[in-house]
Short mmCIF file of all heavy atoms in Angstrom, two decimals:
data_model
loop_
_atom_site.label_atom_id
_atom_site.label_comp_id
_atom_site.label_asym_id
_atom_site.label_seq_id
_atom_site.Cartn_x
_atom_site.Cartn_y
_atom_site.Cartn_z
N SER W 154 16.11 -7.23 -1.18
CA SER W 154 17.33 -6.78 -0.52
C SER W 154 17.35 -5.28 -0.27
O SER W 154 18.24 -4.78 0.43
CB SER W 154 18.55 -7.18 -1.35
OG SER W 154 18.49 -6.60 -2.65
N GLU W 155 16.37 -4.56 -0.82
CA GLU W 155 16.31 -3.10 -0.64
C GLU W 155 15.51 -2.70 0.59
O GLU W 155 15.08 -1.55 0.72
CB GLU W 155 15.73 -2.45 -1.89
CG GLU W 155 16.59 -2.63 -3.13
CD GLU W 155 15.95 -2.02 -4.37
OE1 GLU W 155 14.88 -2.51 -4.76
OE2 GLU W 155 16.53 -1.08 -4.93
N LEU W 156 15.33 -3.63 1.52
CA LEU W 156 14.56 -3.34 2.74
C LEU W 156 15.15 -2.16 3.49
O LEU W 156 14.42 -1.29 3.99
CB LEU W 156 14.53 -4.58 3.64
CG LEU W 156 13.92 -4.40 5.02
CD1 LEU W 156 12.49 -3.90 4.94
CD2 LEU W 156 14.00 -5.70 5.82
N THR W 157 16.47 -2.07 3.59
CA THR W 157 17.09 -0.96 4.33
C THR W 157 16.73 0.38 3.70
O THR W 157 16.43 1.36 4.40
CB THR W 157 18.62 -1.12 4.35
OG1 THR W 157 18.94 -2.35 5.03
CG2 THR W 157 19.29 0.04 5.08
N ARG W 158 16.73 0.45 2.36
CA ARG W 158 16.34 1.68 1.67
C ARG W 158 14.90 2.05 1.98
O ARG W 158 14.56 3.22 2.19
CB ARG W 158 16.51 1.53 0.16
CG ARG W 158 17.94 1.46 -0.33
CD ARG W 158 17.96 1.38 -1.85
NE ARG W 158 17.44 2.61 -2.44
CZ ARG W 158 16.73 2.65 -3.57
NH1 ARG W 158 16.43 1.51 -4.20
NH2 ARG W 158 16.32 3.79 -4.06
N ALA W 159 14.04 1.04 2.02
CA ALA W 159 12.63 1.29 2.30
C ALA W 159 12.44 1.85 3.71
O ALA W 159 11.71 2.83 3.92
CB ALA W 159 11.82 0.01 2.13
N LEU W 160 13.11 1.26 4.70
CA LEU W 160 12.99 1.73 6.08
C LEU W 160 13.55 3.13 6.24
O LEU W 160 12.99 3.96 6.97
CB LEU W 160 13.69 0.76 7.02
CG LEU W 160 13.07 -0.64 7.13
CD1 LEU W 160 13.92 -1.54 8.00
CD2 LEU W 160 11.64 -0.55 7.66
N ARG W 161 14.65 3.42 5.55
CA ARG W 161 15.23 4.76 5.61
C ARG W 161 14.26 5.79 5.02
O ARG W 161 14.10 6.89 5.56
CB ARG W 161 16.56 4.78 4.86
CG ARG W 161 17.37 6.05 5.07
CD ARG W 161 18.69 6.00 4.30
NE ARG W 161 19.50 4.87 4.73
CZ ARG W 161 19.97 3.94 3.90
NH1 ARG W 161 19.71 4.00 2.60
NH2 ARG W 161 20.71 2.96 4.37
N PHE W 162 13.62 5.44 3.93
CA PHE W 162 12.65 6.33 3.30
C PHE W 162 11.47 6.59 4.23
O PHE W 162 11.03 7.73 4.40
CB PHE W 162 12.17 5.72 1.99
CG PHE W 162 11.09 6.50 1.29
CD1 PHE W 162 11.41 7.53 0.44
CD2 PHE W 162 9.75 6.17 1.48
CE1 PHE W 162 10.41 8.25 -0.23
CE2 PHE W 162 8.75 6.88 0.83
CZ PHE W 162 9.09 7.92 -0.02
N LEU W 163 10.95 5.53 4.85
CA LEU W 163 9.79 5.67 5.72
C LEU W 163 10.10 6.41 7.00
O LEU W 163 9.20 6.96 7.64
CB LEU W 163 9.23 4.28 6.04
CG LEU W 163 8.62 3.52 4.86
CD1 LEU W 163 8.32 2.08 5.25
CD2 LEU W 163 7.37 4.21 4.37
N ALA W 164 11.37 6.45 7.40
CA ALA W 164 11.75 7.16 8.62
C ALA W 164 11.79 8.66 8.43
O ALA W 164 11.78 9.41 9.41
CB ALA W 164 13.12 6.67 9.10
N GLN W 165 11.81 9.14 7.20
CA GLN W 165 11.92 10.57 6.91
C GLN W 165 10.55 11.11 6.55
O GLN W 165 10.15 11.12 5.38
CB GLN W 165 12.92 10.81 5.78
CG GLN W 165 14.32 10.35 6.13
CD GLN W 165 15.27 10.43 4.96
OE1 GLN W 165 14.89 10.74 3.85
NE2 GLN W 165 16.55 10.16 5.21
N ALA W 166 9.81 11.55 7.56
CA ALA W 166 8.45 12.05 7.32
C ALA W 166 8.49 13.39 6.59
O ALA W 166 9.29 14.26 6.92
CB ALA W 166 7.72 12.22 8.65
N PRO W 167 7.62 13.57 5.58
CA PRO W 167 7.57 14.85 4.89
C PRO W 167 6.85 15.89 5.74
O PRO W 167 6.18 15.56 6.72
CB PRO W 167 6.75 14.52 3.64
CG PRO W 167 5.84 13.42 4.09
CD PRO W 167 6.64 12.62 5.08
N SER W 168 6.99 17.15 5.39
CA SER W 168 6.25 18.19 6.08
C SER W 168 4.77 18.01 5.79
O SER W 168 4.38 17.56 4.71
CB SER W 168 6.71 19.58 5.62
OG SER W 168 6.57 19.68 4.21
N ALA W 169 3.94 18.34 6.78
CA ALA W 169 2.50 18.14 6.65
C ALA W 169 1.95 18.98 5.50
O ALA W 169 2.39 20.10 5.26
CB ALA W 169 1.80 18.50 7.95
N GLY W 170 0.99 18.42 4.81
CA GLY W 170 0.37 19.11 3.69
C GLY W 170 -0.81 18.30 3.22
O GLY W 170 -1.43 17.57 4.00
N PRO W 171 -1.15 18.39 1.92
CA PRO W 171 -2.23 17.55 1.39
C PRO W 171 -1.94 16.07 1.63
O PRO W 171 -0.79 15.65 1.68
CB PRO W 171 -2.22 17.88 -0.11
CG PRO W 171 -1.56 19.22 -0.21
CD PRO W 171 -0.56 19.27 0.90
N ALA W 172 -3.00 15.30 1.77
CA ALA W 172 -2.83 13.90 2.15
C ALA W 172 -2.11 13.07 1.10
O ALA W 172 -1.19 12.31 1.41
CB ALA W 172 -4.19 13.29 2.47
N PHE W 173 -2.50 13.19 -0.16
CA PHE W 173 -1.98 12.28 -1.18
C PHE W 173 -1.54 13.01 -2.45
O PHE W 173 -2.01 12.69 -3.55
CB PHE W 173 -3.05 11.23 -1.54
CG PHE W 173 -3.54 10.43 -0.36
CD1 PHE W 173 -4.80 10.65 0.16
CD2 PHE W 173 -2.74 9.47 0.23
CE1 PHE W 173 -5.27 9.92 1.24
CE2 PHE W 173 -3.19 8.72 1.31
CZ PHE W 173 -4.45 8.95 1.83
N PRO W 174 -0.63 13.97 -2.35
CA PRO W 174 -0.19 14.67 -3.57
C PRO W 174 0.62 13.79 -4.50
O PRO W 174 0.72 14.08 -5.70
CB PRO W 174 0.66 15.83 -3.02
CG PRO W 174 1.20 15.29 -1.73
CD PRO W 174 0.09 14.45 -1.16
N GLY W 175 1.21 12.72 -3.98
CA GLY W 175 2.06 11.87 -4.79
C GLY W 175 1.32 11.13 -5.89
O GLY W 175 1.92 10.74 -6.89
N VAL W 176 0.00 10.94 -5.73
CA VAL W 176 -0.77 10.23 -6.77
C VAL W 176 -0.70 11.01 -8.08
O VAL W 176 -0.48 10.45 -9.15
CB VAL W 176 -2.23 10.03 -6.32
CG1 VAL W 176 -3.05 9.41 -7.44
CG2 VAL W 176 -2.28 9.13 -5.09
N ARG W 177 -0.88 12.31 -8.00
CA ARG W 177 -0.84 13.14 -9.20
C ARG W 177 0.59 13.23 -9.74
O ARG W 177 0.80 13.32 -10.95
CB ARG W 177 -1.37 14.55 -8.88
CG ARG W 177 -1.48 15.46 -10.10
CD ARG W 177 -2.14 16.78 -9.72
NE ARG W 177 -3.52 16.58 -9.31
CZ ARG W 177 -4.55 16.53 -10.16
NH1 ARG W 177 -4.32 16.65 -11.46
NH2 ARG W 177 -5.77 16.36 -9.73
N ALA W 178 1.57 13.18 -8.84
CA ALA W 178 2.97 13.32 -9.27
C ALA W 178 3.53 12.03 -9.85
O ALA W 178 4.55 12.06 -10.52
CB ALA W 178 3.83 13.77 -8.09
N LEU W 179 2.87 10.90 -9.60
CA LEU W 179 3.37 9.62 -10.10
C LEU W 179 3.18 9.56 -11.60
O LEU W 179 2.07 9.49 -12.11
CB LEU W 179 2.62 8.46 -9.42
CG LEU W 179 3.13 7.04 -9.71
CD1 LEU W 179 4.57 6.88 -9.25
CD2 LEU W 179 2.24 6.02 -9.03
N GLY W 180 4.27 9.62 -12.33
CA GLY W 180 4.19 9.70 -13.78
C GLY W 180 3.91 8.36 -14.43
O GLY W 180 4.14 7.30 -13.85
N GLY W 181 3.40 8.42 -15.64
CA GLY W 181 3.18 7.21 -16.43
C GLY W 181 1.91 6.48 -16.06
O GLY W 181 1.34 6.68 -14.99
N ALA W 182 1.47 5.65 -16.98
CA ALA W 182 0.26 4.87 -16.73
C ALA W 182 0.56 3.74 -15.76
O ALA W 182 1.61 3.12 -15.82
CB ALA W 182 -0.28 4.31 -18.05
N GLY W 183 -0.36 3.49 -14.89
CA GLY W 183 -0.16 2.44 -13.92
C GLY W 183 -0.44 1.07 -14.50
O GLY W 183 -1.16 0.92 -15.48
N ARG W 184 0.14 0.06 -13.90
CA ARG W 184 -0.16 -1.33 -14.26
C ARG W 184 -0.12 -2.12 -12.96
O ARG W 184 0.83 -2.81 -12.65
CB ARG W 184 0.85 -1.88 -15.24
CG ARG W 184 0.49 -3.28 -15.77
CD ARG W 184 1.65 -3.89 -16.53
NE ARG W 184 1.31 -5.24 -16.95
CZ ARG W 184 0.91 -5.56 -18.18
NH1 ARG W 184 0.81 -4.62 -19.08
NH2 ARG W 184 0.63 -6.80 -18.49
N GLY W 185 -1.15 -1.96 -12.15
CA GLY W 185 -1.16 -2.66 -10.89
C GLY W 185 -2.02 -1.94 -9.87
O GLY W 185 -2.88 -1.14 -10.20
N GLU W 186 -1.74 -2.25 -8.61
CA GLU W 186 -2.54 -1.72 -7.50
C GLU W 186 -1.89 -0.47 -6.92
O GLU W 186 -0.68 -0.40 -6.75
CB GLU W 186 -2.65 -2.78 -6.40
CG GLU W 186 -3.40 -2.32 -5.17
CD GLU W 186 -3.34 -3.33 -4.03
OE1 GLU W 186 -2.81 -4.44 -4.24
OE2 GLU W 186 -3.81 -2.99 -2.92
N LEU W 187 -2.71 0.51 -6.60
CA LEU W 187 -2.27 1.69 -5.86
C LEU W 187 -3.07 1.75 -4.57
O LEU W 187 -4.30 1.90 -4.60
CB LEU W 187 -2.46 2.97 -6.67
CG LEU W 187 -1.89 4.24 -6.03
CD1 LEU W 187 -1.32 5.19 -7.09
CD2 LEU W 187 -2.93 4.97 -5.19
N CYS W 188 -2.37 1.57 -3.44
CA CYS W 188 -3.03 1.48 -2.13
C CYS W 188 -2.82 2.77 -1.36
O CYS W 188 -1.69 3.17 -1.09
CB CYS W 188 -2.47 0.30 -1.34
SG CYS W 188 -3.28 0.06 0.26
N LEU W 189 -3.91 3.44 -1.01
CA LEU W 189 -3.88 4.65 -0.20
C LEU W 189 -3.93 4.25 1.27
O LEU W 189 -4.86 3.55 1.70
CB LEU W 189 -5.08 5.54 -0.54
CG LEU W 189 -5.19 5.95 -2.02
CD1 LEU W 189 -6.58 6.51 -2.31
CD2 LEU W 189 -4.12 6.97 -2.37
N VAL W 190 -2.94 4.68 2.04
CA VAL W 190 -2.82 4.26 3.45
C VAL W 190 -2.95 5.51 4.32
O VAL W 190 -2.10 6.41 4.26
CB VAL W 190 -1.47 3.57 3.71
CG1 VAL W 190 -1.41 3.05 5.14
CG2 VAL W 190 -1.23 2.44 2.72
N GLY W 191 -4.01 5.58 5.11
CA GLY W 191 -4.21 6.77 5.93
C GLY W 191 -5.18 6.57 7.06
O GLY W 191 -5.70 5.45 7.27
N ASP W 192 -5.45 7.67 7.79
CA ASP W 192 -6.33 7.58 8.96
C ASP W 192 -7.80 7.70 8.62
O ASP W 192 -8.65 7.53 9.49
CB ASP W 192 -5.93 8.65 10.00
CG ASP W 192 -6.01 10.07 9.44
OD1 ASP W 192 -6.58 10.28 8.35
OD2 ASP W 192 -5.49 10.99 10.11
N GLY W 193 -8.13 8.02 7.37
CA GLY W 193 -9.53 8.08 6.95
C GLY W 193 -10.29 9.28 7.45
O GLY W 193 -11.52 9.33 7.32
N LEU W 194 -9.61 10.29 8.00
CA LEU W 194 -10.32 11.44 8.57
C LEU W 194 -10.72 12.47 7.53
O LEU W 194 -11.41 13.43 7.85
CB LEU W 194 -9.46 12.10 9.67
CG LEU W 194 -9.18 11.22 10.89
CD1 LEU W 194 -8.47 12.02 11.97
CD2 LEU W 194 -10.47 10.60 11.43
N ASP W 195 -10.28 12.30 6.30
CA ASP W 195 -10.69 13.20 5.22
C ASP W 195 -11.21 12.36 4.05
O ASP W 195 -10.47 12.08 3.11
CB ASP W 195 -9.54 14.09 4.76
CG ASP W 195 -10.03 15.26 3.91
OD1 ASP W 195 -11.07 15.11 3.25
OD2 ASP W 195 -9.38 16.32 3.91
N PRO W 196 -12.48 11.95 4.11
CA PRO W 196 -13.03 11.11 3.05
C PRO W 196 -12.93 11.73 1.67
O PRO W 196 -12.70 11.03 0.68
CB PRO W 196 -14.49 10.92 3.48
CG PRO W 196 -14.49 11.13 4.96
CD PRO W 196 -13.44 12.18 5.21
N GLU W 197 -13.09 13.06 1.59
CA GLU W 197 -13.04 13.73 0.28
C GLU W 197 -11.68 13.52 -0.38
O GLU W 197 -11.60 13.22 -1.57
CB GLU W 197 -13.31 15.23 0.45
CG GLU W 197 -14.74 15.57 0.82
CD GLU W 197 -15.69 15.42 -0.36
OE1 GLU W 197 -15.20 15.28 -1.50
OE2 GLU W 197 -16.92 15.40 -0.12
N GLU W 198 -10.60 13.69 0.38
CA GLU W 198 -9.26 13.52 -0.19
C GLU W 198 -9.01 12.08 -0.59
O GLU W 198 -8.37 11.81 -1.61
CB GLU W 198 -8.19 13.99 0.80
CG GLU W 198 -8.08 15.51 0.91
CD GLU W 198 -6.77 15.93 1.55
OE1 GLU W 198 -6.04 15.07 2.07
OE2 GLU W 198 -6.48 17.14 1.53
N LEU W 199 -9.48 11.14 0.19
CA LEU W 199 -9.31 9.73 -0.14
C LEU W 199 -10.00 9.38 -1.46
O LEU W 199 -9.40 8.75 -2.34
CB LEU W 199 -9.89 8.86 0.98
CG LEU W 199 -8.95 8.45 2.12
CD1 LEU W 199 -9.76 7.86 3.26
CD2 LEU W 199 -7.90 7.46 1.64
N VAL W 200 -11.24 9.80 -1.59
CA VAL W 200 -11.99 9.48 -2.80
C VAL W 200 -11.38 10.18 -4.01
O VAL W 200 -11.25 9.58 -5.09
CB VAL W 200 -13.48 9.86 -2.63
CG1 VAL W 200 -14.23 9.70 -3.94
CG2 VAL W 200 -14.13 9.00 -1.55
N ALA W 201 -10.97 11.44 -3.84
CA ALA W 201 -10.35 12.17 -4.96
C ALA W 201 -9.06 11.49 -5.40
O ALA W 201 -8.78 11.36 -6.60
CB ALA W 201 -10.09 13.62 -4.55
N ALA W 202 -8.25 11.04 -4.44
CA ALA W 202 -6.99 10.37 -4.78
C ALA W 202 -7.26 9.03 -5.47
O ALA W 202 -6.55 8.66 -6.42
CB ALA W 202 -6.16 10.14 -3.52
N ALA W 203 -8.28 8.31 -5.02
CA ALA W 203 -8.63 7.03 -5.65
C ALA W 203 -9.07 7.24 -7.10
O ALA W 203 -8.69 6.49 -8.00
CB ALA W 203 -9.72 6.32 -4.85
N ARG W 204 -9.86 8.29 -7.34
CA ARG W 204 -10.31 8.57 -8.71
C ARG W 204 -9.14 9.00 -9.59
O ARG W 204 -9.07 8.62 -10.77
CB ARG W 204 -11.38 9.66 -8.67
CG ARG W 204 -12.72 9.15 -8.12
CD ARG W 204 -13.73 10.24 -7.96
NE ARG W 204 -15.03 9.71 -7.57
CZ ARG W 204 -15.98 10.42 -7.00
NH1 ARG W 204 -15.78 11.72 -6.74
NH2 ARG W 204 -17.13 9.86 -6.67
N GLU W 205 -8.22 9.78 -9.02
CA GLU W 205 -7.03 10.18 -9.78
C GLU W 205 -6.21 8.95 -10.16
O GLU W 205 -5.71 8.84 -11.29
CB GLU W 205 -6.20 11.15 -8.94
CG GLU W 205 -4.93 11.64 -9.61
CD GLU W 205 -5.18 12.67 -10.68
OE1 GLU W 205 -6.22 13.37 -10.61
OE2 GLU W 205 -4.34 12.78 -11.60
N ALA W 206 -6.04 8.01 -9.21
CA ALA W 206 -5.28 6.79 -9.48
C ALA W 206 -5.93 5.98 -10.59
O ALA W 206 -5.25 5.50 -11.51
CB ALA W 206 -5.17 5.96 -8.21
N ARG W 207 -7.25 5.85 -10.52
CA ARG W 207 -7.95 5.07 -11.55
C ARG W 207 -7.82 5.73 -12.92
O ARG W 207 -7.64 5.05 -13.93
CB ARG W 207 -9.43 4.92 -11.16
CG ARG W 207 -10.23 4.05 -12.12
CD ARG W 207 -11.62 3.81 -11.59
NE ARG W 207 -11.64 2.81 -10.54
CZ ARG W 207 -12.32 2.93 -9.40
NH1 ARG W 207 -13.01 4.03 -9.15
NH2 ARG W 207 -12.30 1.97 -8.49
N ALA W 208 -7.89 7.06 -12.95
CA ALA W 208 -7.75 7.77 -14.23
C ALA W 208 -6.37 7.57 -14.83
O ALA W 208 -6.20 7.67 -16.05
CB ALA W 208 -8.03 9.26 -14.02
N ARG W 209 -5.37 7.29 -14.00
CA ARG W 209 -4.01 7.07 -14.49
C ARG W 209 -3.70 5.60 -14.75
O ARG W 209 -2.55 5.24 -14.96
CB ARG W 209 -3.01 7.65 -13.48
CG ARG W 209 -3.05 9.17 -13.42
CD ARG W 209 -2.17 9.75 -12.34
NE ARG W 209 -2.22 11.20 -12.38
CZ ARG W 209 -1.38 11.96 -13.09
NH1 ARG W 209 -0.43 11.40 -13.79
NH2 ARG W 209 -1.49 13.26 -13.08
N GLY W 210 -4.72 4.77 -14.70
CA GLY W 210 -4.54 3.37 -15.07
C GLY W 210 -4.28 2.42 -13.92
O GLY W 210 -4.05 1.23 -14.15
N TRP W 211 -4.32 2.91 -12.68
CA TRP W 211 -4.09 2.04 -11.52
C TRP W 211 -5.42 1.45 -11.04
O TRP W 211 -6.50 1.98 -11.33
CB TRP W 211 -3.47 2.83 -10.38
CG TRP W 211 -2.10 3.35 -10.66
CD1 TRP W 211 -1.77 4.54 -11.24
CD2 TRP W 211 -0.86 2.69 -10.39
NE1 TRP W 211 -0.40 4.65 -11.34
CE2 TRP W 211 0.18 3.54 -10.83
CE3 TRP W 211 -0.53 1.47 -9.81
CZ2 TRP W 211 1.53 3.22 -10.71
CZ3 TRP W 211 0.81 1.13 -9.68
CH2 TRP W 211 1.82 2.00 -10.13
N THR W 212 -5.31 0.37 -10.28
CA THR W 212 -6.46 -0.17 -9.56
C THR W 212 -6.37 0.30 -8.12
O THR W 212 -5.51 -0.18 -7.36
CB THR W 212 -6.45 -1.71 -9.60
OG1 THR W 212 -6.50 -2.14 -10.97
CG2 THR W 212 -7.65 -2.28 -8.85
N PRO W 213 -7.20 1.27 -7.70
CA PRO W 213 -7.06 1.82 -6.35
C PRO W 213 -7.64 0.92 -5.28
O PRO W 213 -8.67 0.27 -5.47
CB PRO W 213 -7.83 3.15 -6.44
CG PRO W 213 -8.85 2.92 -7.50
CD PRO W 213 -8.24 1.97 -8.48
N THR W 214 -6.95 0.86 -4.13
CA THR W 214 -7.45 0.24 -2.92
C THR W 214 -7.12 1.17 -1.76
O THR W 214 -6.41 2.16 -1.94
CB THR W 214 -6.81 -1.15 -2.67
OG1 THR W 214 -5.40 -0.98 -2.45
CG2 THR W 214 -7.03 -2.08 -3.85
N ALA W 215 -7.62 0.86 -0.58
CA ALA W 215 -7.34 1.71 0.58
C ALA W 215 -7.13 0.85 1.81
O ALA W 215 -7.78 -0.18 1.99
CB ALA W 215 -8.48 2.70 0.82
N LEU W 216 -6.21 1.31 2.66
CA LEU W 216 -5.97 0.71 3.97
C LEU W 216 -6.17 1.81 5.01
O LEU W 216 -5.42 2.78 5.03
CB LEU W 216 -4.56 0.13 4.07
CG LEU W 216 -4.14 -0.40 5.45
CD1 LEU W 216 -5.04 -1.55 5.88
CD2 LEU W 216 -2.67 -0.83 5.44
N LEU W 217 -7.20 1.67 5.84
CA LEU W 217 -7.52 2.66 6.85
C LEU W 217 -6.97 2.21 8.20
O LEU W 217 -7.20 1.09 8.63
CB LEU W 217 -9.03 2.87 6.93
CG LEU W 217 -9.72 3.28 5.62
CD1 LEU W 217 -11.21 3.49 5.85
CD2 LEU W 217 -9.08 4.52 5.03
N ILE W 218 -6.23 3.12 8.84
CA ILE W 218 -5.56 2.81 10.11
C ILE W 218 -6.44 3.28 11.27
O ILE W 218 -6.71 4.48 11.40
CB ILE W 218 -4.18 3.48 10.18
CG1 ILE W 218 -3.38 3.24 8.90
CG2 ILE W 218 -3.44 3.00 11.41
CD1 ILE W 218 -3.03 1.80 8.64
N GLU W 219 -6.85 2.36 12.11
CA GLU W 219 -7.70 2.71 13.25
C GLU W 219 -6.87 3.11 14.46
O GLU W 219 -5.74 2.65 14.65
CB GLU W 219 -8.59 1.52 13.63
CG GLU W 219 -9.58 1.11 12.57
CD GLU W 219 -10.48 -0.03 13.02
OE1 GLU W 219 -10.38 -0.42 14.21
OE2 GLU W 219 -11.27 -0.52 12.21
N SER W 220 -7.45 3.97 15.29
CA SER W 220 -6.87 4.34 16.58
C SER W 220 -7.87 4.01 17.67
O SER W 220 -9.07 4.25 17.51
CB SER W 220 -6.54 5.84 16.63
OG SER W 220 -5.48 6.13 15.75
N ALA W 221 -7.39 3.46 18.79
CA ALA W 221 -8.28 3.09 19.88
C ALA W 221 -8.80 4.30 20.64
O ALA W 221 -9.89 4.29 21.20
CB ALA W 221 -7.57 2.14 20.84
N ALA W 222 -8.01 5.37 20.69
CA ALA W 222 -8.38 6.56 21.45
C ALA W 222 -7.86 7.80 20.73
O ALA W 222 -7.00 7.71 19.85
CB ALA W 222 -7.82 6.50 22.87
#
Side-chain angles (χ1 to χ4, degrees):
S154 59
E155 296 178 296
L156 173 58
T157 299
R158 290 182 66 215
L160 293 175
R161 190 180 301 125
F162 176 86
L163 293 170
Q165 299 173 354
S168 56
F173 303 107
V176 175
R177 185 174 295 274
L179 186 61
R184 187 191 177 100
E186 177 188 354
L187 186 145
C188 183
L189 302 165
V190 184
D192 59 12
L194 296 187
D195 195 331
E197 290 286 348
E198 285 197 350
L199 270 168
V200 173
R204 287 174 175 160
E205 180 75 25
R207 184 173 283 135
R209 291 174 178 269
W211 295 89
T212 300
T214 64
L216 174 62
L217 303 182
I218 312 296
E219 296 183 5
S220 292

